[in-house]
Amino acid sequence: MPVTTAHSAPSVVPYRTTSARLALRQVTSSLTPAGPDGAWWPRTHDLASELCELADVLDPLWGRITHVAANPRHWSHVPRTTVLVNDHDVRIDWFAPGVDPHRILLQSYSAGRWDLLVVPPGTFALAAARLMAAASAGPEGLRRPWPRG
Protein backbone atom coordinates (compact mmCIF):
# COMPACT_ATOMS: atom_id res chain seq x y z
CA MET A 1 0.00 0.00 0.00
CA PRO A 2 1.61 3.28 -1.09
CA VAL A 3 1.99 5.96 1.50
CA THR A 4 1.41 9.53 0.39
CA THR A 5 2.39 12.55 2.35
CA ALA A 6 0.95 15.96 1.75
CA HIS A 7 3.70 18.54 1.45
CA SER A 8 2.81 22.14 1.99
CA ALA A 9 4.48 24.81 -0.08
CA PRO A 10 7.51 26.33 1.61
CA SER A 11 6.85 29.69 3.21
CA VAL A 12 8.40 32.60 1.44
CA VAL A 13 10.14 35.00 3.76
CA PRO A 14 11.67 38.16 2.31
CA TYR A 15 15.43 38.05 2.58
CA ARG A 16 17.93 40.63 1.52
CA THR A 17 21.65 40.07 1.77
CA THR A 18 23.73 42.74 3.37
CA SER A 19 25.94 43.65 0.47
CA ALA A 20 26.88 47.25 1.21
CA ARG A 21 30.58 47.70 0.60
CA LEU A 22 31.53 49.64 3.70
CA ALA A 23 34.58 50.16 5.91
CA LEU A 24 34.13 51.96 9.23
CA ARG A 25 36.69 53.45 11.56
CA GLN A 26 37.15 51.57 14.80
CA VAL A 27 36.90 54.11 17.58
CA THR A 28 38.52 54.03 20.99
CA SER A 29 38.91 57.60 22.32
CA SER A 30 37.19 60.95 22.34
CA LEU A 31 39.71 62.88 20.27
CA THR A 32 38.28 63.85 16.89
CA PRO A 33 40.57 63.52 13.88
CA ALA A 34 40.11 65.43 10.67
CA GLY A 35 38.76 63.01 8.14
CA PRO A 36 35.93 60.61 7.50
CA ASP A 37 34.42 58.01 9.82
CA GLY A 38 34.90 55.42 7.10
CA ALA A 39 34.26 54.75 3.43
CA TRP A 40 31.38 53.50 1.33
CA TRP A 41 31.66 52.02 -2.17
CA PRO A 42 28.18 52.09 -3.75
CA ARG A 43 27.48 49.94 -6.80
CA THR A 44 25.65 52.64 -8.79
CA HIS A 45 25.24 56.41 -9.02
CA ASP A 46 21.59 56.19 -7.85
CA LEU A 47 21.65 57.43 -4.26
CA ALA A 48 18.02 56.55 -3.49
CA SER A 49 18.49 52.87 -4.34
CA GLU A 50 21.94 52.62 -2.74
CA LEU A 51 20.75 54.01 0.60
CA CYS A 52 18.69 50.87 1.29
CA GLU A 53 21.77 48.62 1.39
CA LEU A 54 23.71 51.19 3.41
CA ALA A 55 20.87 51.49 5.93
CA ASP A 56 20.72 47.68 6.26
CA VAL A 57 24.20 47.82 7.77
CA LEU A 58 24.20 51.18 9.56
CA ASP A 59 20.73 51.29 11.12
CA PRO A 60 21.47 48.42 13.57
CA LEU A 61 24.87 49.93 14.42
CA TRP A 62 24.14 53.66 14.61
CA GLY A 63 20.38 53.91 14.84
CA ARG A 64 17.98 54.66 12.02
CA ILE A 65 19.40 57.03 9.40
CA THR A 66 17.09 60.03 9.24
CA HIS A 67 18.98 62.61 7.19
CA VAL A 68 21.55 62.57 4.37
CA ALA A 69 23.54 65.50 3.00
CA ALA A 70 25.37 65.01 -0.28
CA ASN A 71 26.77 66.87 -3.24
CA PRO A 72 24.76 65.98 -6.40
CA ARG A 73 27.83 66.09 -8.65
CA HIS A 74 28.46 62.31 -8.80
CA TRP A 75 24.91 61.03 -8.39
CA SER A 76 22.95 60.38 -11.59
CA HIS A 77 19.57 60.28 -9.90
CA VAL A 78 18.97 63.15 -7.50
CA PRO A 79 15.91 62.39 -5.36
CA ARG A 80 13.80 65.23 -4.03
CA THR A 81 13.58 66.13 -0.36
CA THR A 82 12.76 62.67 1.06
CA VAL A 83 13.12 59.06 -0.02
CA LEU A 84 11.70 55.87 1.44
CA VAL A 85 14.54 53.76 2.84
CA ASN A 86 13.60 50.39 4.34
CA ASP A 87 10.10 51.54 5.30
CA HIS A 88 11.03 54.92 6.77
CA ASP A 89 11.54 58.39 5.31
CA VAL A 90 15.04 59.81 5.00
CA ARG A 91 15.47 63.50 4.28
CA ILE A 92 17.94 64.31 1.50
CA ASP A 93 19.71 67.67 1.30
CA TRP A 94 21.86 68.56 -1.69
CA PHE A 95 24.69 71.01 -1.08
CA ALA A 96 26.91 71.54 -4.09
CA PRO A 97 29.39 74.00 -2.55
CA GLY A 98 29.07 72.88 1.08
CA VAL A 99 29.74 69.15 0.84
CA ASP A 100 32.76 67.53 -0.78
CA PRO A 101 31.54 65.61 -3.86
CA HIS A 102 33.31 62.50 -2.56
CA ARG A 103 31.67 62.59 0.88
CA ILE A 104 28.24 61.86 2.28
CA LEU A 105 27.01 63.02 5.67
CA LEU A 106 24.59 60.76 7.51
CA GLN A 107 22.55 61.65 10.56
CA SER A 108 20.58 59.63 13.09
CA TYR A 109 18.41 61.21 15.78
CA SER A 110 19.43 58.54 18.24
CA ALA A 111 23.18 58.49 17.72
CA GLY A 112 24.57 61.53 15.90
CA ARG A 113 26.28 62.33 12.62
CA TRP A 114 28.86 60.56 10.45
CA ASP A 115 30.94 61.49 7.49
CA LEU A 116 31.78 58.81 4.91
CA LEU A 117 34.13 58.96 1.96
CA VAL A 118 32.25 57.81 -1.16
CA VAL A 119 34.39 55.66 -3.45
CA PRO A 120 32.99 56.09 -6.99
CA PRO A 121 31.08 53.02 -8.25
CA GLY A 122 33.33 52.48 -11.28
CA THR A 123 36.54 52.29 -9.23
CA PHE A 124 38.67 49.17 -9.72
CA ALA A 125 38.47 46.78 -6.75
CA LEU A 126 42.11 47.13 -5.69
CA ALA A 127 41.99 50.92 -5.70
CA ALA A 128 38.65 50.90 -3.87
CA ALA A 129 40.03 48.55 -1.22
CA ARG A 130 43.01 50.85 -0.64
CA LEU A 131 40.79 53.94 -0.38
CA MET A 132 38.44 52.19 2.02
CA ALA A 133 41.30 50.95 4.18
CA ALA A 134 42.86 54.41 4.34
CA ALA A 135 39.54 56.09 5.21
CA SER A 136 38.77 53.61 7.98
CA ALA A 137 42.29 53.61 9.51
CA GLY A 138 43.85 56.15 11.82
CA PRO A 139 46.26 56.52 14.70
CA GLU A 140 45.02 54.71 17.83
CA GLY A 141 44.98 57.88 19.94
CA LEU A 142 42.96 59.91 17.46
CA ARG A 143 39.80 57.87 17.07
CA ARG A 144 36.44 59.24 18.12
CA PRO A 145 33.91 57.51 20.37
CA TRP A 146 31.09 55.62 18.74
CA PRO A 147 28.31 56.60 18.67
CA ARG A 148 28.85 60.31 18.96
CA GLY A 149 26.43 63.21 19.05
Side-chain angles (χ1 to χ4, degrees), residues 16 40 42 46-57 59 65 68 75 79 83-86 90-92 104 106:
R16 186 172 10 175
W40 174 44
D46 183 348
L47 181 61
S49 67
E50 293 292 333
L51 281 176
C52 291
E53 286 185 4
L54 186 61
D56 282 345
V57 175
D59 283 357
I65 295 171
V68 173
W75 300 103
V83 294
L84 189 63
V85 174
N86 298 347
V90 173
R91 181 182 166 92
I92 308 287
I104 189 168
L106 306 167

PDB file of all heavy atoms in Angstrom, residues 16 40 42 46-57 59 65 68 75 79 83-86 90-92 104 106:
ATOM      1  N   ARG A  16      17.037  39.783   2.292  1.00  0.00           N
ATOM      2  CA  ARG A  16      17.932  40.631   1.523  1.00  0.00           C
ATOM      3  C   ARG A  16      19.322  40.489   2.114  1.00  0.00           C
ATOM      4  O   ARG A  16      19.501  40.627   3.316  1.00  0.00           O
ATOM      5  CB  ARG A  16      17.476  42.086   1.617  1.00  0.00           C
ATOM      6  CG  ARG A  16      18.294  42.964   0.728  1.00  0.00           C
ATOM      7  CD  ARG A  16      17.827  44.356   0.599  1.00  0.00           C
ATOM      8  NE  ARG A  16      16.801  44.744   1.510  1.00  0.00           N
ATOM      9  CZ  ARG A  16      16.335  45.967   1.600  1.00  0.00           C
ATOM     10  NH1 ARG A  16      16.796  46.888   0.827  1.00  0.00           N
ATOM     11  NH2 ARG A  16      15.397  46.280   2.451  1.00  0.00           N
ATOM     12  N   TRP A  40      32.477  54.255   1.918  1.00  0.00           N
ATOM     13  CA  TRP A  40      31.379  53.495   1.327  1.00  0.00           C
ATOM     14  C   TRP A  40      31.616  53.429  -0.171  1.00  0.00           C
ATOM     15  O   TRP A  40      31.921  54.432  -0.806  1.00  0.00           O
ATOM     16  CB  TRP A  40      30.084  54.199   1.656  1.00  0.00           C
ATOM     17  CG  TRP A  40      28.855  53.653   1.021  1.00  0.00           C
ATOM     18  CD1 TRP A  40      28.499  52.336   0.893  1.00  0.00           C
ATOM     19  CD2 TRP A  40      27.793  54.398   0.441  1.00  0.00           C
ATOM     20  NE1 TRP A  40      27.276  52.232   0.280  1.00  0.00           N
ATOM     21  CE2 TRP A  40      26.819  53.501  -0.009  1.00  0.00           C
ATOM     22  CE3 TRP A  40      27.555  55.765   0.264  1.00  0.00           C
ATOM     23  CZ2 TRP A  40      25.645  53.896  -0.628  1.00  0.00           C
ATOM     24  CZ3 TRP A  40      26.390  56.166  -0.342  1.00  0.00           C
ATOM     25  CH2 TRP A  40      25.442  55.229  -0.782  1.00  0.00           C
ATOM     26  N   PRO A  42      29.467  52.488  -3.166  1.00  0.00           N
ATOM     27  CA  PRO A  42      28.177  52.087  -3.752  1.00  0.00           C
ATOM     28  C   PRO A  42      28.377  51.431  -5.109  1.00  0.00           C
ATOM     29  O   PRO A  42      29.381  51.648  -5.780  1.00  0.00           O
ATOM     30  CB  PRO A  42      27.418  53.405  -3.880  1.00  0.00           C
ATOM     31  CG  PRO A  42      28.468  54.455  -3.932  1.00  0.00           C
ATOM     32  CD  PRO A  42      29.635  53.935  -3.148  1.00  0.00           C
ATOM     33  N   ASP A  46      22.966  55.894  -8.253  1.00  0.00           N
ATOM     34  CA  ASP A  46      21.594  56.185  -7.853  1.00  0.00           C
ATOM     35  C   ASP A  46      21.511  56.163  -6.325  1.00  0.00           C
ATOM     36  O   ASP A  46      21.365  55.105  -5.710  1.00  0.00           O
ATOM     37  CB  ASP A  46      20.644  55.153  -8.467  1.00  0.00           C
ATOM     38  CG  ASP A  46      19.187  55.426  -8.167  1.00  0.00           C
ATOM     39  OD1 ASP A  46      18.893  56.284  -7.301  1.00  0.00           O
ATOM     40  OD2 ASP A  46      18.332  54.772  -8.783  1.00  0.00           O
ATOM     41  N   LEU A  47      21.590  57.335  -5.713  1.00  0.00           N
ATOM     42  CA  LEU A  47      21.653  57.427  -4.256  1.00  0.00           C
ATOM     43  C   LEU A  47      20.427  56.814  -3.586  1.00  0.00           C
ATOM     44  O   LEU A  47      20.554  56.110  -2.593  1.00  0.00           O
ATOM     45  CB  LEU A  47      21.818  58.883  -3.808  1.00  0.00           C
ATOM     46  CG  LEU A  47      21.920  59.095  -2.302  1.00  0.00           C
ATOM     47  CD1 LEU A  47      23.122  58.372  -1.722  1.00  0.00           C
ATOM     48  CD2 LEU A  47      21.986  60.574  -1.978  1.00  0.00           C
ATOM     49  N   ALA A  48      19.248  57.065  -4.117  1.00  0.00           N
ATOM     50  CA  ALA A  48      18.024  56.550  -3.487  1.00  0.00           C
ATOM     51  C   ALA A  48      18.044  55.029  -3.370  1.00  0.00           C
ATOM     52  O   ALA A  48      17.709  54.469  -2.322  1.00  0.00           O
ATOM     53  CB  ALA A  48      16.800  57.006  -4.264  1.00  0.00           C
ATOM     54  N   SER A  49      18.466  54.336  -4.405  1.00  0.00           N
ATOM     55  CA  SER A  49      18.494  52.869  -4.339  1.00  0.00           C
ATOM     56  C   SER A  49      19.660  52.363  -3.493  1.00  0.00           C
ATOM     57  O   SER A  49      19.550  51.343  -2.816  1.00  0.00           O
ATOM     58  CB  SER A  49      18.531  52.255  -5.733  1.00  0.00           C
ATOM     59  OG  SER A  49      19.741  52.545  -6.367  1.00  0.00           O
ATOM     60  N   GLU A  50      20.767  53.050  -3.509  1.00  0.00           N
ATOM     61  CA  GLU A  50      21.938  52.622  -2.743  1.00  0.00           C
ATOM     62  C   GLU A  50      21.756  52.799  -1.234  1.00  0.00           C
ATOM     63  O   GLU A  50      22.345  52.067  -0.444  1.00  0.00           O
ATOM     64  CB  GLU A  50      23.183  53.386  -3.199  1.00  0.00           C
ATOM     65  CG  GLU A  50      23.624  53.066  -4.596  1.00  0.00           C
ATOM     66  CD  GLU A  50      24.158  51.653  -4.765  1.00  0.00           C
ATOM     67  OE1 GLU A  50      24.670  51.063  -3.799  1.00  0.00           O
ATOM     68  OE2 GLU A  50      24.042  51.127  -5.878  1.00  0.00           O
ATOM     69  N   LEU A  51      20.941  53.760  -0.833  1.00  0.00           N
ATOM     70  CA  LEU A  51      20.747  54.011   0.597  1.00  0.00           C
ATOM     71  C   LEU A  51      20.115  52.830   1.326  1.00  0.00           C
ATOM     72  O   LEU A  51      20.359  52.634   2.514  1.00  0.00           O
ATOM     73  CB  LEU A  51      19.889  55.258   0.811  1.00  0.00           C
ATOM     74  CG  LEU A  51      20.609  56.590   0.673  1.00  0.00           C
ATOM     75  CD1 LEU A  51      19.621  57.742   0.805  1.00  0.00           C
ATOM     76  CD2 LEU A  51      21.730  56.719   1.686  1.00  0.00           C
ATOM     77  N   CYS A  52      19.318  52.033   0.636  1.00  0.00           N
ATOM     78  CA  CYS A  52      18.692  50.871   1.289  1.00  0.00           C
ATOM     79  C   CYS A  52      19.743  49.884   1.798  1.00  0.00           C
ATOM     80  O   CYS A  52      19.682  49.440   2.948  1.00  0.00           O
ATOM     81  CB  CYS A  52      17.720  50.181   0.345  1.00  0.00           C
ATOM     82  SG  CYS A  52      16.256  51.157   0.013  1.00  0.00           S
ATOM     83  N   GLU A  53      20.715  49.545   0.966  1.00  0.00           N
ATOM     84  CA  GLU A  53      21.767  48.620   1.392  1.00  0.00           C
ATOM     85  C   GLU A  53      22.628  49.228   2.490  1.00  0.00           C
ATOM     86  O   GLU A  53      23.025  48.547   3.434  1.00  0.00           O
ATOM     87  CB  GLU A  53      22.640  48.211   0.211  1.00  0.00           C
ATOM     88  CG  GLU A  53      21.975  47.237  -0.719  1.00  0.00           C
ATOM     89  CD  GLU A  53      22.909  46.750  -1.813  1.00  0.00           C
ATOM     90  OE1 GLU A  53      24.099  47.111  -1.815  1.00  0.00           O
ATOM     91  OE2 GLU A  53      22.430  45.992  -2.666  1.00  0.00           O
ATOM     92  N   LEU A  54      22.913  50.522   2.377  1.00  0.00           N
ATOM     93  CA  LEU A  54      23.707  51.191   3.405  1.00  0.00           C
ATOM     94  C   LEU A  54      22.958  51.189   4.737  1.00  0.00           C
ATOM     95  O   LEU A  54      23.544  50.897   5.782  1.00  0.00           O
ATOM     96  CB  LEU A  54      24.031  52.619   2.955  1.00  0.00           C
ATOM     97  CG  LEU A  54      24.975  53.404   3.852  1.00  0.00           C
ATOM     98  CD1 LEU A  54      26.331  52.721   3.945  1.00  0.00           C
ATOM     99  CD2 LEU A  54      25.128  54.824   3.321  1.00  0.00           C
ATOM    100  N   ALA A  55      21.670  51.480   4.699  1.00  0.00           N
ATOM    101  CA  ALA A  55      20.868  51.491   5.928  1.00  0.00           C
ATOM    102  C   ALA A  55      20.757  50.100   6.546  1.00  0.00           C
ATOM    103  O   ALA A  55      20.679  49.972   7.768  1.00  0.00           O
ATOM    104  CB  ALA A  55      19.488  52.062   5.643  1.00  0.00           C
ATOM    105  N   ASP A  56      20.760  49.048   5.721  1.00  0.00           N
ATOM    106  CA  ASP A  56      20.724  47.682   6.256  1.00  0.00           C
ATOM    107  C   ASP A  56      21.871  47.438   7.228  1.00  0.00           C
ATOM    108  O   ASP A  56      21.725  46.744   8.229  1.00  0.00           O
ATOM    109  CB  ASP A  56      20.824  46.645   5.128  1.00  0.00           C
ATOM    110  CG  ASP A  56      19.526  46.444   4.381  1.00  0.00           C
ATOM    111  OD1 ASP A  56      18.472  46.881   4.884  1.00  0.00           O
ATOM    112  OD2 ASP A  56      19.573  45.849   3.287  1.00  0.00           O
ATOM    113  N   VAL A  57      23.022  48.014   6.934  1.00  0.00           N
ATOM    114  CA  VAL A  57      24.198  47.823   7.771  1.00  0.00           C
ATOM    115  C   VAL A  57      24.243  48.853   8.901  1.00  0.00           C
ATOM    116  O   VAL A  57      24.481  48.513  10.057  1.00  0.00           O
ATOM    117  CB  VAL A  57      25.496  47.922   6.934  1.00  0.00           C
ATOM    118  CG1 VAL A  57      26.727  47.843   7.820  1.00  0.00           C
ATOM    119  CG2 VAL A  57      25.514  46.840   5.876  1.00  0.00           C
ATOM    120  N   ASP A  59      21.833  51.110  10.182  1.00  0.00           N
ATOM    121  CA  ASP A  59      20.729  51.295  11.124  1.00  0.00           C
ATOM    122  C   ASP A  59      20.907  50.470  12.407  1.00  0.00           C
ATOM    123  O   ASP A  59      20.752  51.007  13.501  1.00  0.00           O
ATOM    124  CB  ASP A  59      19.378  50.986  10.468  1.00  0.00           C
ATOM    125  CG  ASP A  59      18.889  52.101   9.550  1.00  0.00           C
ATOM    126  OD1 ASP A  59      19.555  53.150   9.442  1.00  0.00           O
ATOM    127  OD2 ASP A  59      17.821  51.916   8.938  1.00  0.00           O
ATOM    128  N   ILE A  65      18.958  55.854  10.144  1.00  0.00           N
ATOM    129  CA  ILE A  65      19.404  57.032   9.397  1.00  0.00           C
ATOM    130  C   ILE A  65      18.170  57.876   9.088  1.00  0.00           C
ATOM    131  O   ILE A  65      17.184  57.376   8.562  1.00  0.00           O
ATOM    132  CB  ILE A  65      20.128  56.639   8.099  1.00  0.00           C
ATOM    133  CG1 ILE A  65      21.423  55.894   8.420  1.00  0.00           C
ATOM    134  CG2 ILE A  65      20.417  57.872   7.248  1.00  0.00           C
ATOM    135  CD1 ILE A  65      22.088  55.281   7.215  1.00  0.00           C
ATOM    136  N   VAL A  68      20.350  62.732   5.191  1.00  0.00           N
ATOM    137  CA  VAL A  68      21.552  62.568   4.374  1.00  0.00           C
ATOM    138  C   VAL A  68      21.852  63.901   3.709  1.00  0.00           C
ATOM    139  O   VAL A  68      20.947  64.556   3.187  1.00  0.00           O
ATOM    140  CB  VAL A  68      21.344  61.485   3.285  1.00  0.00           C
ATOM    141  CG1 VAL A  68      22.522  61.435   2.330  1.00  0.00           C
ATOM    142  CG2 VAL A  68      21.122  60.126   3.919  1.00  0.00           C
ATOM    143  N   TRP A  75      26.097  61.869  -8.463  1.00  0.00           N
ATOM    144  CA  TRP A  75      24.909  61.027  -8.388  1.00  0.00           C
ATOM    145  C   TRP A  75      24.046  61.283  -9.609  1.00  0.00           C
ATOM    146  O   TRP A  75      23.659  62.408  -9.883  1.00  0.00           O
ATOM    147  CB  TRP A  75      24.130  61.309  -7.108  1.00  0.00           C
ATOM    148  CG  TRP A  75      24.944  61.032  -5.883  1.00  0.00           C
ATOM    149  CD1 TRP A  75      25.554  61.954  -5.086  1.00  0.00           C
ATOM    150  CD2 TRP A  75      25.283  59.759  -5.346  1.00  0.00           C
ATOM    151  NE1 TRP A  75      26.243  61.330  -4.072  1.00  0.00           N
ATOM    152  CE2 TRP A  75      26.091  59.978  -4.218  1.00  0.00           C
ATOM    153  CE3 TRP A  75      24.968  58.454  -5.705  1.00  0.00           C
ATOM    154  CZ2 TRP A  75      26.583  58.926  -3.444  1.00  0.00           C
ATOM    155  CZ3 TRP A  75      25.465  57.419  -4.934  1.00  0.00           C
ATOM    156  CH2 TRP A  75      26.266  57.658  -3.812  1.00  0.00           C
ATOM    157  N   PRO A  79      17.267  62.400  -5.898  1.00  0.00           N
ATOM    158  CA  PRO A  79      15.914  62.386  -5.360  1.00  0.00           C
ATOM    159  C   PRO A  79      15.554  63.716  -4.710  1.00  0.00           C
ATOM    160  O   PRO A  79      16.426  64.449  -4.253  1.00  0.00           O
ATOM    161  CB  PRO A  79      15.947  61.269  -4.320  1.00  0.00           C
ATOM    162  CG  PRO A  79      17.372  61.079  -3.987  1.00  0.00           C
ATOM    163  CD  PRO A  79      18.178  61.535  -5.169  1.00  0.00           C
ATOM    164  N   VAL A  83      13.232  60.345   0.665  1.00  0.00           N
ATOM    165  CA  VAL A  83      13.123  59.061  -0.019  1.00  0.00           C
ATOM    166  C   VAL A  83      12.730  58.011   1.021  1.00  0.00           C
ATOM    167  O   VAL A  83      13.033  58.151   2.201  1.00  0.00           O
ATOM    168  CB  VAL A  83      14.434  58.629  -0.722  1.00  0.00           C
ATOM    169  CG1 VAL A  83      14.781  59.547  -1.853  1.00  0.00           C
ATOM    170  CG2 VAL A  83      15.578  58.516   0.247  1.00  0.00           C
ATOM    171  N   LEU A  84      12.071  56.978   0.571  1.00  0.00           N
ATOM    172  CA  LEU A  84      11.703  55.870   1.439  1.00  0.00           C
ATOM    173  C   LEU A  84      12.865  54.885   1.467  1.00  0.00           C
ATOM    174  O   LEU A  84      13.271  54.346   0.434  1.00  0.00           O
ATOM    175  CB  LEU A  84      10.431  55.196   0.917  1.00  0.00           C
ATOM    176  CG  LEU A  84       9.806  54.163   1.833  1.00  0.00           C
ATOM    177  CD1 LEU A  84       9.347  54.814   3.142  1.00  0.00           C
ATOM    178  CD2 LEU A  84       8.624  53.504   1.137  1.00  0.00           C
ATOM    179  N   VAL A  85      13.409  54.666   2.649  1.00  0.00           N
ATOM    180  CA  VAL A  85      14.540  53.761   2.837  1.00  0.00           C
ATOM    181  C   VAL A  85      14.134  52.726   3.874  1.00  0.00           C
ATOM    182  O   VAL A  85      13.940  53.061   5.044  1.00  0.00           O
ATOM    183  CB  VAL A  85      15.802  54.517   3.302  1.00  0.00           C
ATOM    184  CG1 VAL A  85      16.925  53.549   3.622  1.00  0.00           C
ATOM    185  CG2 VAL A  85      16.238  55.524   2.268  1.00  0.00           C
ATOM    186  N   ASN A  86      13.955  51.490   3.440  1.00  0.00           N
ATOM    187  CA  ASN A  86      13.599  50.390   4.343  1.00  0.00           C
ATOM    188  C   ASN A  86      12.413  50.743   5.243  1.00  0.00           C
ATOM    189  O   ASN A  86      12.477  50.613   6.457  1.00  0.00           O
ATOM    190  CB  ASN A  86      14.809  49.959   5.172  1.00  0.00           C
ATOM    191  CG  ASN A  86      15.926  49.448   4.304  1.00  0.00           C
ATOM    192  OD1 ASN A  86      15.741  49.193   3.119  1.00  0.00           O
ATOM    193  ND2 ASN A  86      17.099  49.302   4.871  1.00  0.00           N
ATOM    194  N   VAL A  90      13.727  59.204   4.759  1.00  0.00           N
ATOM    195  CA  VAL A  90      15.038  59.806   4.998  1.00  0.00           C
ATOM    196  C   VAL A  90      15.065  61.113   4.223  1.00  0.00           C
ATOM    197  O   VAL A  90      14.788  61.141   3.026  1.00  0.00           O
ATOM    198  CB  VAL A  90      16.186  58.879   4.529  1.00  0.00           C
ATOM    199  CG1 VAL A  90      17.527  59.590   4.636  1.00  0.00           C
ATOM    200  CG2 VAL A  90      16.194  57.593   5.341  1.00  0.00           C
ATOM    201  N   ARG A  91      15.395  62.191   4.914  1.00  0.00           N
ATOM    202  CA  ARG A  91      15.467  63.501   4.282  1.00  0.00           C
ATOM    203  C   ARG A  91      16.802  63.622   3.547  1.00  0.00           C
ATOM    204  O   ARG A  91      17.845  63.278   4.088  1.00  0.00           O
ATOM    205  CB  ARG A  91      15.330  64.597   5.324  1.00  0.00           C
ATOM    206  CG  ARG A  91      15.375  65.973   4.744  1.00  0.00           C
ATOM    207  CD  ARG A  91      15.290  67.022   5.848  1.00  0.00           C
ATOM    208  NE  ARG A  91      15.664  68.298   5.330  1.00  0.00           N
ATOM    209  CZ  ARG A  91      14.813  69.173   4.834  1.00  0.00           C
ATOM    210  NH1 ARG A  91      13.525  68.896   4.822  1.00  0.00           N
ATOM    211  NH2 ARG A  91      15.235  70.340   4.369  1.00  0.00           N
ATOM    212  N   ILE A  92      16.741  64.124   2.318  1.00  0.00           N
ATOM    213  CA  ILE A  92      17.943  64.311   1.504  1.00  0.00           C
ATOM    214  C   ILE A  92      18.155  65.805   1.278  1.00  0.00           C
ATOM    215  O   ILE A  92      17.244  66.504   0.840  1.00  0.00           O
ATOM    216  CB  ILE A  92      17.802  63.635   0.116  1.00  0.00           C
ATOM    217  CG1 ILE A  92      17.386  62.177   0.246  1.00  0.00           C
ATOM    218  CG2 ILE A  92      19.074  63.795  -0.690  1.00  0.00           C
ATOM    219  CD1 ILE A  92      18.448  61.257   0.738  1.00  0.00           C
ATOM    220  N   ILE A 104      29.659  61.858   1.964  1.00  0.00           N
ATOM    221  CA  ILE A 104      28.241  61.859   2.278  1.00  0.00           C
ATOM    222  C   ILE A 104      28.130  61.975   3.797  1.00  0.00           C
ATOM    223  O   ILE A 104      28.905  61.357   4.530  1.00  0.00           O
ATOM    224  CB  ILE A 104      27.532  60.592   1.745  1.00  0.00           C
ATOM    225  CG1 ILE A 104      26.035  60.721   1.902  1.00  0.00           C
ATOM    226  CG2 ILE A 104      28.060  59.348   2.391  1.00  0.00           C
ATOM    227  CD1 ILE A 104      25.265  59.658   1.138  1.00  0.00           C
ATOM    228  N   LEU A 106      25.756  61.502   7.059  1.00  0.00           N
ATOM    229  CA  LEU A 106      24.589  60.756   7.513  1.00  0.00           C
ATOM    230  C   LEU A 106      24.253  61.181   8.930  1.00  0.00           C
ATOM    231  O   LEU A 106      25.155  61.418   9.735  1.00  0.00           O
ATOM    232  CB  LEU A 106      24.879  59.256   7.499  1.00  0.00           C
ATOM    233  CG  LEU A 106      25.383  58.687   6.185  1.00  0.00           C
ATOM    234  CD1 LEU A 106      25.917  57.289   6.378  1.00  0.00           C
ATOM    235  CD2 LEU A 106      24.278  58.697   5.159  1.00  0.00           C
TER     236      LEU A 106
END
